[in-house]
């Protein structure tokens, strides 16, 4: 069954171009031209991914994104934006965008990011069991494996990896990780995250050529294959 992508873009020329390219690639598509229309489409149909323009009439892309995430949806959302500043990108990621593509963009790059986001939208294979690539994490038994290799993690390392595996493909800021894993009442330095990321990488990537937790310079980290 073809994966379904909702295109939310008020420029009808760009929307039509995206629709033609995605249909050619084998996806099913739907379109919305305003923020309000996007929410109606999102609620009335099943989608595998949303391409969401930042600047929309009625509701901005960020407002649409915030409402999507408030419903606990983990569906991948790629933001299309003309904004280039890091603070704008961080704002989008903080609200739950999985990725962002700045305009003007090359369609091949966008298609590659769509494929990556769809691959990364991992759901638990069974209750409490998460998989990503060769990684397996069982939140009930608190066991972690890479392939057949058992990985011994400290409680904090396990919680950190658990958070990444519940949000695959999503760029997570240090502040998001700190709040989710250490809690809102933590008052230490955010560089504790960098230290624990090093611990995790050393354990899960030992003897491997593929690494999973990638650094996004100036923003944070993301769980994806490289």
């Amino acid at each position: 069954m073809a994966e379904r992508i909702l295109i939310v873009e008020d420029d009808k020329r760009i929307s039509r171009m995206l629709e033609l390219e995605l249909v050619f690639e084998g996806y099913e598509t739907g379109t919305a031209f305003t923020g309000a229309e996007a929410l109606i489409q999102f609620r009335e149909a099943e989608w595998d991914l949303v391409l969401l323009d930042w600047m929309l009439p009625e509701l901005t892309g960020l407002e649409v994104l915030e409402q999507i995430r408030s419903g606990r949806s983990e569906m991948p959302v790629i933001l299309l934006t003309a904004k280039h500043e890091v603070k704008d990108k961080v704002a989008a990621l903080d609200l739950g965008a999985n990725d962002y593509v700045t305009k003007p963009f090359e369609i091949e790059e966008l298609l590659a990011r769509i494929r990556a986001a769809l691959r990364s939208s991992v759901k638990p294979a069974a209750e409490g069991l998460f998989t990503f690539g060769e990684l397996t994490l069982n939140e009930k038994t608190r066991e972690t494996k890479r392939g057949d290799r058992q990985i011994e993690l400290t409680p904090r390392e396990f919680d950190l990896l658990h958070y990444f595996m519940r949000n695959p493909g999503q760029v997570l800021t240090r502040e998001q990780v700190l709040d989710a894993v250490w809690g809102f009442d933590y008052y230490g330095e955010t560089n504790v995250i960098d230290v624990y990321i090093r611990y995790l990488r050393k354990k899960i990537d030992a003897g491997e050529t593929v690494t999973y937790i990638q650094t996004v310079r100036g923003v944070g980290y993301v769980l994806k294959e490289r």
Side-chain angles (χ1 to χ4, degrees):
M1 185 176 177
E3 290 162 308
R4 305 188 73 238
I5 297 177
L6 176 60
I7 303 164
V8 186
E9 168 63 66
D10 64 323
D11 185 321
K12 294 187 177 182
R13 180 184 59 83
I14 295 176
S15 176
R16 182 59 177 161
M17 179 271 292
L18 290 171
E19 185 178 16
L20 290 172
E21 292 285 354
L22 291 171
V23 169
F24 181 78
E25 293 294 321
Y27 299 106
E28 292 183 8
T29 64
T31 56
F33 302 107
T34 71
E37 186 183 351
L39 289 177
I40 292 171
Q41 290 263 38
F42 170 71
R43 290 164 181 156
E44 292 186 349
E46 293 291 328
W47 304 100
D48 295 296
L49 182 142
V50 175
L51 290 178
L52 181 61
D53 186 34
W54 185 309
M55 302 303 293
L56 292 168
E58 298 179 6
L59 293 171
T60 69
L62 289 192
E63 289 171 324
V64 173
L65 175 61
E66 190 171 20
Q67 292 203 41
I68 288 174
R69 293 297 183 235
S70 69
R72 312 288 301 174
S73 172
E74 295 182 2
M75 177 191 56
V77 176
I78 297 178
L79 204 69
L80 306 178
T81 175
K83 296 175 180 287
H84 294 265
E85 293 189 18
V86 169
K87 66 180 178 63
D88 294 317
K89 296 173 182 177
V90 169
L93 295 169
D94 278 343
L95 284 176
N98 296 77
D99 203 351
Y100 50 81
V101 176
T102 52
K103 297 178 179 180
F105 52 81
E106 296 291 335
I107 190 63
E108 289 303 324
E109 179 188 0
L110 178 60
L111 291 172
R113 289 175 183 252
I114 289 170
R115 291 191 294 269
L118 289 170
R119 282 197 306 269
S120 298
S121 58
V122 178
K123 296 178 176 62
E127 187 178 358
L129 184 66
F130 294 80
T131 60
F132 185 87
E134 295 182 326
L135 282 177
T136 305
L137 180 146
N138 189 318
E139 65 182 9
K140 290 186 174 180
T141 64
R142 296 185 72 84
E143 292 179 322
T144 307
K145 289 183 177 181
R146 179 158 184 172
D148 295 325
R149 176 170 62 91
Q150 192 82 28
I151 302 172
E152 297 297 330
L153 299 178
T154 67
R156 187 73 77 184
E157 291 166 352
F158 180 91
D159 291 344
L160 181 59
L161 182 59
H162 186 211
Y163 183 55
F164 277 102
M165 292 190 72
R166 284 189 289 112
N167 298 278
Q170 181 173 330
V171 181
L172 302 170
T173 67
R174 288 173 176 81
E175 289 73 19
Q176 285 177 298
V177 175
L178 202 62
D179 290 343
V181 180
W182 274 261
F184 290 97
D185 56 350
Y186 178 80
Y187 293 105
E189 297 292 329
T190 58
N191 65 3
V192 68
I193 295 163
D194 304 315
V195 173
Y196 272 85
I197 291 292
R198 287 200 298 272
Y199 293 161
L200 259 186
R201 284 172 171 163
K202 186 174 181 180
K203 291 183 177 182
I204 67 178
D205 295 336
E208 305 286 350
T209 56
V210 176
T211 60
Y212 287 122
I213 301 177
Q214 312 298 331
T215 301
V216 180
R217 190 176 300 276
V219 181
Y221 296 96
V222 59
L223 180 69
K224 68 177 183 179
E225 294 187 56
R226 182 176 65 185

